[in-house]
Amino acid sequence: MKYLSNWNKINESDEKKSDGDPKRSERLLTQAQKEHKDSPEVKEKTGPMPAMVFTDVVGSSKMWSDDPITMAKQLEGHHKLIDSIAEKNKGWIVKTIGDAFMVYFEPSEDSLFNAIKFSKEVILGEKSYNLRIGVCQGNMDQKTYSIQKVDLKDFFGNAVNAASRMESKVSEVGGTIAFCSIKPIENKMDKIKTLGTTVPVDLSKYDLRGATVQKAYKMKVK
């Protein structure tokens, strides 16, 4: 896939300098990511921040059970859709688990906007599935693991965990994007609102399982 070669470019650049299973996307998190909240705080980085996106297909378990052949065919199209829209919006696919995706958006002033724009386009472009998506902008740690002689890059930290919780806990229903930032984003909201109507989220209603977020918003796409 094209995204694999694009992801390799990122690696090279670095070297040079619900359904009823809301935990699906949480399985995308490595053990290192889950344990990171118990680790000493890393030195805070300054400058533009990246954004992370988690997507999931609502009701996929039942679809796989009812009609696995059709589901497999539709999933191939879903992969191609996410691949093309991610690249267009400066996003790179980190990994997948079945129909769930983890997509990274490079640090920039517009990384959160790009991630939400990608999310909206995916929801509107996907005709076979109903999607829920979580997004968070914030500094992340990254590590390359060598597994079975293949180098795999992964990201972890509070922003990654928060993006996962936005999808699995806050987005809740299909056609919805739940998003947040580790730092205040009031100055970004005017631009984000050009993508659709946003509503604040009452975070006291949700168990984010250790992820810390001050404010979050939802955008209903369809």
Side-chain angles (χ1 to χ4, degrees):
M1 277 188 172
K2 290 186 295 182
Y3 74 77
L4 290 176
S5 61
N6 288 332
W7 189 244
N8 287 335
K9 291 178 183 177
I10 293 180
N11 287 334
E12 292 169 3
S13 173
D14 289 343
E15 290 171 0
K16 289 179 180 179
K17 345 163 253 226
S18 195
D19 92 32
D21 188 10
K23 297 181 180 179
R24 284 179 53 78
S25 67
E26 293 176 17
R27 294 201 297 268
L28 286 164
L29 302 180
T30 63
Q31 189 61 31
Q33 289 169 335
K34 292 179 179 179
E35 294 173 351
H36 183 70
K37 64 182 179 65
D38 298 322
S39 302
E41 286 295 317
V42 295
K43 185 177 180 180
E44 185 168 352
K45 303 170 186 175
T46 59
M49 297 180 295
M52 191 66 76
V53 171
F54 283 85
T55 77
D56 197 21
V57 173
V58 176
S60 61
S61 296
K62 188 174 188 306
M63 286 187 275
W64 278 114
S65 177
D66 291 347
D67 191 350
I69 295 177
T70 298
M71 184 66 173
K73 291 179 180 178
Q74 291 174 344
L75 187 59
E76 183 176 352
H78 183 60
H79 278 238
K80 291 178 180 178
L81 177 71
I82 291 209
D83 181 27
S84 63
I85 296 178
E87 184 172 13
K88 183 176 71 171
N89 288 286
K90 302 179 182 179
W92 312 103
I93 297 171
V94 181
K95 53 188 168 183
T96 71
I97 291 184
D99 53 69
F101 279 79
M102 178 180 180
V103 186
Y104 173 84
F105 290 78
E106 297 179 5
S108 77
E109 293 299 328
D110 287 329
S111 64
L112 180 59
F113 177 84
N114 292 338
I116 297 171
K117 184 172 177 285
F118 156 82
S119 301
K120 179 179 179 179
E121 291 179 1
V122 167
I123 289 174
L124 293 177
E126 179 53 67
K127 306 304 181 185
S128 300
Y129 299 142
N130 200 14
L131 302 172
R132 65 185 183 206
I133 299 180
V135 183
C136 187
Q137 181 188 54
N139 290 319
M140 307 167 192
D141 291 332
Q142 61 182 4
K143 183 176 178 62
T144 299
Y145 299 88
S146 182
I147 300 176
Q148 295 183 334
K149 300 181 180 180
V150 177
D151 288 339
L152 302 174
K153 179 168 286 188
D154 206 353
F155 296 85
F156 54 97
N158 184 50
V160 178
N161 294 334
S164 175
R165 305 301 185 263
M166 289 296 108
E167 181 273 304
S168 64
K169 302 294 184 181
V170 180
S171 183
E172 296 180 299
V173 297
T176 302
I177 305 165
F179 65 93
C180 65
S181 176
I182 300 306
K183 294 184 178 180
I185 55 171
E186 283 75 13
N187 63 332
K188 302 177 187 295
M189 289 303 295
D190 285 345
K191 186 172 184 179
I192 291 172
K193 287 177 181 178
T194 64
L195 298 174
T197 302
T198 64
V199 295
V201 172
D202 182 357
L203 291 173
S204 67
K205 296 180 179 180
Y206 302 95
D207 177 11
L208 301 185
R209 299 186 63 189
T212 57
V213 177
Q214 298 301 315
K215 290 184 179 180
Y217 302 84
K218 283 185 183 180
M219 180 184 296
K220 183 67 175 174
V221 177
K222 69 176 184 181

